[in-house]
Amino acid sequence: MPGPSRQTAAPPAPPHVFVVFGATGDLVRRKLLPALVALMREGHVGAEVRIVGVARSELDDAGFRTWAREALAEAGVSEDDLEGWCDDCLSYVAVGTGAEEEYRRLRQHLEAVEEAAGLPGNRVFYLALPPAAFAPTVTALGEAGLHRSPGDGWTRLVIEKPFGHDLASAQALNRAVHRWFDESQVYRIDHYLGKETVQNLLVFRFSNMVFESLWNRERIDSVQITVAEDIGIEGRAGYYEHAGALRDMVQNHVTQVLSLIAMEVPVAYDADAVRGEKIKALRSLRRLDPERHVVLGQYEAGHAGGKPVPGYLEEEGVTAGSTTETFAAMRLYLDSWRWQGVPFLVRTGKRLHRRVTEIAVVFRRPPVALFESMDCGLQVESNVLVITLQPDEGFALYFDLKTPGEPLALRNYPLHFSYEEAFGPLPGAYETLLLDVLQGDQTLFVHAEEVEESWRLYAPLLEHELPVHGYAAGSWGPEEANRLLSGNGAGWRTR
């Protein structure tokens, strides 16, 4: 997998039209437009590219361009970087009802834009929409003949998460998509997979034999995956009440990271080989026992950033007495030769102590406590490899060493590597993933079978009514999560 220089080494994207549905939404404002401008500024997207916004708002081209300028200014993009870009590249089509004639008008608009700019018919359709709109939009595109490009051009469909809300809905959505689009055209986007450290997991494992040779049940005691947020639901009660932590984070982000850690060596570095091994890893996950291996929680009033914050039930828009989980922890096992008996301990939650996403690979302890008789203290913790995805992307390897002087004493210290220290600011995840879409690289995107295998694993949890334990905002979650630990004396990492 390409390393941190990937963006600078990537060839320019071919000329195309980028069509974004939900064009006046928050995702486009905060992420997509700034990422597209960054790709243009870095030379990955040429001036001939055109962006067509599609939304229900009754805007014209001028109104959409004004909205886009304001959005880019909020994102810190200077006028010098734009240099008339909005006027030259942006246009808008209103699709208020989704009626057939509106999609015919969209098709005519795309053909006119392509003819005026001399474009070859390459098209990206990006669905930055509420999940309920995915299937109707895909169907409307297909019925309008927009699932195939004219001439020798290509058409690609990008779908944001969540992809379904359970196994049945994910399967139904896959059927709706595959009715019109081949799997080779579909890019199910998970922005976690665009982070440099996530991408480098495969390089780290498969290019460094010192680690790959240790990556098994004989050397590893357990693996911890933590995706912690210090914020609450931020006014998104309407969404979160129907999602909860399991649907919002575990089924997608957490499971994708787990599959990259657990997968076997692919036969080649290409999308089919890598995604095939991830699917095998997901299929080897043992069926969860909800009572023994899962703990759910919901934040109560507490403190965040030194200030008092309300509990989930006091948040605006939350149903009285809601049992929606804002925290989920679980103990997973893979029934495979490499990982048999090694627990994968995962947790995610809102209003936790601090914002951090990390993978901690906990190695087995030495078979003999050699220095115990010297009264210098036992080895406090195992060697641990910590891979941090946010906020400070990098790696750290913790090991014991002797502190200077007498008497003999042991301390645990890290060797660390920071991406920002080595390479400066990293490209955003959406920059990486959008460039992959434009270049036709599906490696960092989720296959249809991955989606269904993930939902299949968590289906019993969605059907099982588990207790939801309270935890104070600003803590690391409910105390009950400690019963999931591996039992070797190692607790949840809280550094």
Side-chain angles (χ1 to χ4, degrees):
M1 172 148 327
S5 61
R6 178 177 181 279
Q7 287 280 346
T8 56
H16 63 277
V17 175
F18 192 97
V19 185
V20 56
F21 287 80
T24 56
D26 189 56
L27 177 65
V28 179
R29 173 185 290 271
R30 293 188 303 107
K31 299 293 185 181
L32 296 186
L33 269 181
L36 288 168
V37 170
L39 291 175
M40 175 204 69
R41 185 175 58 233
E42 294 160 7
H44 298 304
V45 171
E48 72 281 2
V49 169
R50 297 294 181 265
I51 298 172
V52 177
V54 180
R56 301 177 66 177
S57 305
E58 287 297 331
L59 292 175
D60 56 13
D61 290 349
F64 181 56
R65 289 164 184 163
T66 298
W67 179 90
R69 287 191 190 92
E70 293 172 353
L72 291 168
E74 288 177 10
V77 179
S78 69
E79 284 291 336
D80 292 339
D81 285 330
L82 296 177
E83 294 181 354
W85 181 77
C86 289
D87 291 335
D88 295 337
C89 296
L90 301 186
S91 61
Y92 183 84
V93 176
V95 176
T97 65
E100 184 178 345
E101 61 269 20
E102 292 178 327
Y103 278 82
R104 280 201 302 268
R105 183 156 44 86
L106 172 61
R107 180 175 182 169
Q108 293 166 357
H109 181 83
L110 296 181
E111 291 169 350
V113 166
E114 288 166 343
E115 182 178 0
L119 299 177
N122 297 327
R123 297 169 179 172
V124 175
F125 293 104
Y126 195 115
L127 307 190
L129 294 168
F134 290 162
T137 303
V138 168
T139 299
L141 287 171
E143 290 176 344
L146 289 168
H147 60 304
R148 297 287 184 270
S149 290
D152 297 327
W154 44 253
T155 296
R156 293 167 187 157
L157 178 71
V158 186
I159 306 179
E160 276 282 343
K161 81 166 187 77
F163 199 89
H165 62 271
D166 57 17
L167 177 58
S169 61
Q171 290 172 327
L173 184 52
N174 274 334
R175 287 193 297 271
V177 169
H178 289 154
R179 180 185 175 193
W180 300 103
F181 293 87
D182 298 329
E183 183 64 21
S184 62
Q185 295 177 275
V186 182
Y187 294 72
R188 296 171 191 81
I189 194 166
D190 185 332
H191 71 270
Y192 264 58
L193 298 184
K195 295 181 181 296
E196 288 287 346
T197 320
V198 174
Q199 296 176 62
N200 255 319
L201 273 174
L202 299 188
V203 169
F204 193 85
R205 286 187 54 190
F206 303 136
S207 292
N208 297 290
M209 281 303 296
V210 66
F211 292 110
E212 176 55 21
S213 62
L214 304 175
W215 215 258
N216 56 65
R217 57 187 170 83
E218 295 181 356
R219 297 290 182 264
I220 293 176
D221 178 83
S222 63
V223 177
Q224 290 188 20
I225 302 173
T226 296
V227 182
E229 300 178 278
D230 56 5
I231 59 172
I233 57 172
E234 304 297 294
R236 298 168 66 230
Y239 162 74
Y240 206 84
E241 276 285 270
H242 293 93
L246 285 170
R247 289 183 170 95
D248 186 47
M249 297 296 287
V250 175
Q251 183 273 331
N252 38 71
H253 297 331
V254 174
T255 305
Q256 283 296 310
V257 172
L258 186 153
S259 67
L260 286 170
I261 300 167
M263 65 179 280
E264 293 296 331
V265 185
V267 296
Y269 179 66
D270 60 41
D272 289 341
V274 171
R275 299 199 297 180
E277 293 301 335
K278 288 169 66 185
I279 292 168
K280 290 179 186 177
L282 293 177
R283 286 176 178 165
S284 73
L285 282 163
R286 188 183 305 171
R287 184 179 175 87
L288 280 161
D289 181 337
E291 300 290 347
R292 295 175 55 219
H293 294 155
V294 181
V295 172
L296 303 181
Q298 185 185 90
Y299 66 83
E300 299 172 342
H303 289 78
K307 298 179 180 178
V309 293
Y312 180 76
L313 294 178
E314 286 78 56
E315 299 278 16
E316 185 177 353
V318 171
T319 305
S322 171
T323 58
T324 298
E325 79 284 356
T326 63
F327 174 94
M330 57 192 66
R331 181 184 176 102
L332 295 147
Y333 289 95
L334 288 90
D335 288 326
S336 68
W337 191 274
R338 182 186 292 266
W339 295 112
Q340 189 66 34
V342 177
F344 280 69
L345 304 160
V346 305
R347 60 176 174 169
T348 183
K350 291 189 176 294
R351 286 290 185 214
L352 296 182
H353 183 68
R354 67 185 178 93
R355 174 177 173 261
V356 64
T357 299
E358 71 172 28
I359 304 153
V361 180
V362 182
F363 292 94
R364 294 190 182 277
R365 291 184 175 181
V368 177
L370 183 62
F371 301 102
E372 183 177 5
S373 63
M374 303 187 69
D375 196 29
C376 60
L378 297 175
Q379 188 166 352
V380 176
E381 59 183 284
S382 304
N383 298 123
V384 182
L385 172 66
V386 179
I387 303 164
T388 304
L389 309 185
Q390 64 179 11
D392 303 311
E393 295 177 288
F395 303 87
L397 178 61
Y398 288 82
F399 61 100
D400 279 355
L401 53 75
K402 176 188 176 298
T403 59
E406 298 293 340
L408 181 67
L410 303 182
R411 291 285 299 275
N412 199 258
Y413 282 95
L415 288 172
H416 85 279
F417 167 80
S418 163
Y419 274 99
E420 186 162 2
E421 288 176 11
F423 300 106
L426 296 175
Y430 277 95
E431 291 177 48
T432 297
L433 294 172
L434 288 179
L435 185 56
D436 281 351
V437 171
L438 300 177
Q439 293 174 336
D441 184 352
Q442 291 181 301
T443 306
L444 299 178
F445 295 84
V446 183
H447 191 278
E449 289 186 52
E450 290 183 71
V451 172
E452 294 186 18
E453 287 298 331
S454 181
W455 278 121
R456 189 171 286 113
L457 173 68
Y458 301 115
L461 306 188
L462 303 177
E463 299 162 0
H464 196 93
E465 195 167 320
L466 287 169
V468 178
H469 305 280
Y471 63 95
S475 70
W476 280 108
E479 289 293 326
E480 288 80 2
N482 292 330
R483 68 176 171 81
L484 302 175
L485 295 168
S486 59
N488 71 345
W492 291 104
R493 284 185 52 80
T494 56
R495 291 180 185 271

